[in-house]
């Protein structure tokens, strides 16, 4: 049974997480191609398995041929019951009507990029598919062209895939960067075929999407941890500056809990950026900080004593340097935890969070960062 003190922290972090998720918004990807080209496998390889677990999604048109799957900062628009190339007129009419309506909505509710997928093994790209790609472009959607399930040998793409790509390129289609992306979404241990092409596809998606959804793409994708780290560093920088401003007029330790909302907002932003659900990140944050307090005082007191120069702060005041160092160290330590969680680590038997390992990792990194930040430069 949760203690009232635990409930306070959980509720405060959960609210901060939801506020940040709403601020970051959602990236909506439309994905098209014939049946069996590997669309779901490709989406799951870049964005994780959550979309697959959501089923067929919600119908967004009266005829129920377009479905939007939503999971956190990602939405995927897919088709059901119609085949690209065979039912182009019906599908384009529904899609045009839907896109026209959603353009009056806020950016997170719009569709931002389309992937058009062609299986390399089909060795054929039909004129009706080219017409569909042109129609997508005419409706204002940036189209990223993807060849799926493309085998390689000794670093070379299969000649049939190159021939197919050349035939598509010859059509001079309005596709993102004029490029056709070779991909293999899943490695095959039996044949030794490695997965590849996913980073290039993700990069093209960033280039095609509006800048306003770049953070949402960063949060949704699960393969580019450098981008996640860059966003997390930005959140830490903002929070560190806010903490320094709060400490510009020294804070009595009895009032040190005023730093907690700044730090919770930072931690929530980092958790959303790494794609950690509100439930898992709330539990992990409580384990990391050993947070059990009705006002955040024990969190501050338990951690602040590890910040060099803050030894007397418990009995006195917290200045700008201590406040910023304290916040910076929390942010860096929390990034370490979130990155490990995003990679599937820090789990106990049965898949539950390993609270002890989370706490040790957080505290070790917190102490190291607090010491490093406090050293003379």
């Amino acid at each position: 049974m949760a203690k009232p003190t635990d409930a306070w922290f959980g509720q405060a972090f959960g609210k901060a997480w939801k506020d940040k998720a709403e601020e970051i918004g959602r990236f909506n990807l439309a994905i098209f191609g014939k049946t069996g080209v590997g669309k779901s496998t490709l989406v799951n390889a870049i964005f994780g398995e959550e979309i697959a677990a959501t089923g067929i999604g919600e119908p967004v048109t009266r005829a129920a041929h377009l479905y939007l799957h939503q999971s956190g900062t990602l939405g995927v628009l897919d088709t059901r019951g119609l085949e690209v190339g065979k039912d182009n007129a019906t599908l384009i009419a529904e899609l045009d009507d839907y896109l026209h309506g959603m353009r009056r909505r806020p950016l997170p509710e719009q569709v931002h990029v389309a992937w058009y997928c062609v299986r390399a093994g089909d060795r054929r790209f039909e004129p009706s598919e080219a017409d569909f790609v042109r129609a997508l472009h005419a409706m204002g959607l940036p189209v990223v062209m993807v060849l799926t399930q493309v085998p390689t040998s000794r670093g070379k793409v299969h000649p049939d895939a190159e021939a197919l790509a050349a035939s598509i390129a010859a059509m001079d289609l309005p596709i993102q960067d004029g490029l056709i992306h070779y991909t293999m979404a899943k490695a095959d241990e039996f044949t030794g075929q490695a997965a590849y092409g996913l980073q290039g596809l993700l990069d093209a998606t960033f280039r095609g999407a509006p800048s306003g959804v770049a953070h949402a793409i960063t949060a949704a994708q699960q393969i580019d941890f450098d981008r996640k780290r860059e966003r997390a560093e930005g959140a830490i920088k903002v929070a560190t500056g806010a903490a320094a401003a709060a400490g510009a007029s020294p804070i009595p330790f009895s009032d040190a809990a005023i730093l907690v909302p700044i730090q919770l907002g930072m931690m929530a932003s980092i958790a959303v950026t790494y794609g950690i659900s509100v439930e898992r990140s709330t539990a992990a944050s409580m384990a990391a900080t050993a947070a059990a307090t009705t006002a955040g005082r024990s969190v501050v007191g338990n951690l602040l004593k590890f910040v060099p120069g803050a030894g007397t702060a418990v009995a006195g005041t917290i200045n700008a340097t201590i406040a910023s160092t304290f916040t910076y160290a929390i942010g860096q330590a929390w990034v370490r935890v979130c990155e490990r969680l995003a990679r599937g680590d820090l789990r106990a038997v049965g898949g539950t969070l390993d609270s002890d390992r989370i706490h040790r990792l957080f505290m070790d990194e917190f102490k190291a960062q607090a010491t490093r930040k406090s050293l003379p430069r």
Side-chain angles (χ1 to χ4, degrees):
M1 182 176 179
K3 304 174 187 176
T5 52
D6 295 337
W8 172 84
F9 187 91
Q11 290 169 1
F13 185 91
K15 182 180 185 306
W17 189 100
K18 290 174 183 176
D19 288 346
K20 288 297 178 181
E22 183 175 351
E23 178 185 318
I24 290 170
R26 190 175 70 237
F27 165 62
N28 295 311
L29 170 70
I31 185 163
F32 300 105
K34 292 187 173 182
T35 302
V37 299
K39 293 175 289 185
S40 296
T41 303
L42 193 61
V43 169
N44 292 342
I46 292 179
F47 296 104
E49 299 296 329
E50 290 301 313
I51 287 294
T54 62
I56 63 170
E58 293 294 325
V60 294
T61 59
R62 286 189 295 272
H65 292 130
L66 292 173
Y67 285 78
L68 182 65
H69 315 245
Q70 298 180 42
S71 179
T73 55
L74 176 68
V76 176
L77 187 72
D78 197 2
T79 60
R80 289 290 184 277
L82 293 179
E83 180 76 12
V84 173
K86 293 182 180 178
D87 305 296
N88 277 12
T90 302
L91 187 52
I92 289 170
E94 282 192 40
L95 187 59
D96 187 49
D97 183 61
Y98 174 64
L99 293 177
H100 181 75
M102 65 81 183
R103 285 195 181 94
R104 295 190 291 268
R105 302 176 188 172
L107 184 62
E109 296 180 30
Q110 299 178 22
V111 178
H112 307 114
V113 173
W115 290 353
Y116 192 86
C117 302
V118 182
R119 184 170 56 189
D122 290 346
R123 304 183 183 183
R124 178 175 171 79
F125 184 74
E126 298 178 358
S128 58
E129 294 182 271
D131 291 342
F132 188 80
V133 169
R134 293 189 184 98
L136 292 176
H137 175 75
M139 287 184 271
L141 274 181
V143 182
V144 180
M145 179 66 71
V146 190
L147 287 192
T148 65
Q149 304 172 31
V150 182
T152 60
S153 178
R154 299 183 181 89
K156 294 184 178 180
V157 171
H158 195 286
D160 288 345
E162 288 189 324
L164 176 59
S167 70
I168 296 173
M171 296 181 178
D172 195 25
L173 296 173
I175 55 179
Q176 180 66 35
D177 304 321
L179 298 176
I180 299 167
H181 296 271
Y182 299 121
T183 64
M184 179 65 77
K186 293 180 70 174
D188 187 329
E189 293 183 6
F190 181 77
T191 63
Q193 175 67 65
Y196 73 93
L198 302 179
Q199 185 65 54
L201 174 55
L202 178 62
D203 291 344
T205 303
F206 271 101
R207 291 192 297 272
S211 60
V213 296
H215 197 167
I217 304 175
T218 300
Q221 59 85 23
Q222 295 298 319
I223 63 171
D224 190 338
F225 282 85
D226 288 341
R227 275 190 167 106
K228 289 182 182 291
R229 163 70 74 162
E230 184 179 353
R231 285 284 180 178
E233 292 288 352
I236 293 171
K237 184 177 181 180
V238 169
T240 299
S249 298
I251 306 166
F253 181 75
S254 59
D255 295 333
I258 67 171
L259 294 174
V260 172
I262 296 171
Q263 293 156 354
L264 279 178
M266 172 186 67
M267 293 175 71
S269 179
I270 292 168
V272 176
T273 295
Y274 276 90
I276 313 299
S277 71
V278 62
E279 296 83 9
R280 291 182 73 81
S281 57
T282 299
S285 66
M286 294 175 68
T289 60
T293 173
T294 56
R297 295 188 189 91
S298 72
V299 177
V300 175
N302 289 340
L303 296 177
L304 195 57
K305 61 188 177 185
F306 296 107
V307 178
T312 59
V314 174
T317 59
I318 300 171
N319 62 26
T321 299
I322 292 172
S324 62
T325 298
F326 179 41
T327 302
Y328 175 85
I330 287 176
Q332 294 293 340
W334 181 237
V335 165
R336 282 291 304 278
V337 171
C338 286
E339 183 155 328
R340 292 280 298 277
L341 288 172
R343 294 181 184 276
D345 298 336
L346 302 177
R347 295 181 181 179
V349 177
T352 58
L353 294 178
D354 190 328
S355 296
D356 290 340
R357 287 175 62 203
I358 289 172
H359 182 64
R360 286 196 301 272
L361 175 64
F362 179 88
M363 290 306 303
D364 288 348
E365 187 67 17
F366 175 84
K367 293 173 189 177
Q369 291 290 344
T371 301
R372 189 176 300 124
K373 183 75 170 174
S374 302
L375 290 175
R377 297 174 185 264

